[in-house]
Amino acid sequence: MERIFEHEGTKYVRINKHLAAPFNDVNDNGVPIIKSESEDFINEHGVPSKRIKVNCLTISPASINPNMASGIYNRFKANLMNKECDLEADTIKVALVNNSHSFTATHNGYSDISANELAATGGYTTGGAALASKAVTQAATTKFDAADTSWTSATFTAYHAVIYDDTLAGDDLIASIDFGGAQAVSSGTFTIQWHADGIITLA
């Protein structure tokens, strides 16, 4: 089974037998680089703002590089099989974290990543923001999606986003997304623009 493959014109790297992610390029050693795209813009109120476009994470038959910067936590996969997590009914949150964070698949709950969360200042609130308009769409490739997530009047720098289930007693982790470097905003709106294919897909 090839580690890098192409499907419908998009290149993917296999992360493990269940997870693959689209990638943008490879480095000098031939290792795929999975990057988020960002853009600075002026919002409708004339405020300088930042928008982060993140890739979709795909759960599919796949073989993975354990050093991937983004990924889905093992706890979430177990919670799906044990009917513990309801992505539509539960309160699903996304927290922003600093450059001390790294994706570790065996981490289980929010407490495992909270030490690296952004401080509650500059328009950011501890615990992050709840996803709105959550929806699971059934198809050959079933997807979980939500409305883009924004922080207004924001002044901070973020490196990663971590999605977790705030309804479960352990605030169980779902996925970690690498922004590909520092993403800063000053007195503006910081927006995560989820991929058009969804936040997570299951094929």
Side-chain angles (χ1 to χ4, degrees):
M1 182 180 293
E2 295 184 357
R3 180 166 169 260
I4 296 175
F5 65 98
E6 186 168 329
H7 177 65
E8 296 183 353
T10 299
K11 290 183 178 180
Y12 292 83
V13 58
R14 299 187 187 280
I15 301 173
N16 58 31
K17 69 178 182 178
H18 298 297
L19 180 63
F23 69 94
N24 307 82
D25 205 347
V26 296
N27 65 16
D28 293 339
N29 297 317
V31 177
I33 303 169
I34 298 179
K35 292 182 177 178
S36 300
E37 299 177 16
S38 66
E39 61 179 351
D40 296 298
F41 67 101
I42 305 298
N43 69 16
E44 65 272 21
H45 304 296
V47 177
S49 301
K50 171 83 73 175
R51 180 184 293 118
I52 312 298
K53 300 178 181 179
V54 299
N55 280 328
C56 172
L57 293 175
T58 303
I59 304 175
S60 63
S63 153
I64 224 181
N65 175 3
N67 297 317
M68 290 285 296
S70 299
I72 293 176
Y73 291 98
N74 296 341
R75 174 58 63 90
F76 174 61
K77 290 180 278 188
N79 283 342
L80 283 181
M81 291 188 175
N82 290 323
K83 300 188 292 184
E84 296 288 341
C85 177
D86 187 327
L87 290 171
E88 290 183 319
D90 291 357
T91 298
I92 307 300
K93 286 190 172 183
V94 55
L96 300 178
V97 292
N98 60 33
N99 59 343
S100 293
H101 170 82
S102 61
F103 169 64
T104 303
T106 54
H107 281 171
N108 291 323
Y110 167 77
S111 61
D112 289 321
I113 61 94
S114 60
N116 298 321
E117 187 176 10
L118 300 191
T121 186
Y124 184 79
T125 301
T126 300
L131 298 185
S133 303
K134 305 184 305 296
V136 173
T137 303
Q138 179 178 321
T141 298
T142 296
K143 72 175 182 179
F144 166 62
D145 202 4
D148 295 343
T149 306
S150 296
W151 288 263
T152 58
S153 302
T155 299
F156 54 70
T157 300
Y159 289 78
H160 309 261
V162 175
I163 303 170
Y164 68 98
D165 190 332
D166 191 48
T167 296
L168 297 179
D171 294 332
D172 290 5
L173 299 176
I174 294 174
S176 177
I177 299 170
D178 181 17
F179 290 157
Q183 302 297 337
V185 62
S186 179
S187 300
T189 299
F190 187 96
T191 300
I192 300 177
Q193 182 176 335
W194 304 113
H195 196 279
D197 291 340
I199 301 172
I200 298 172
T201 61
L202 176 62

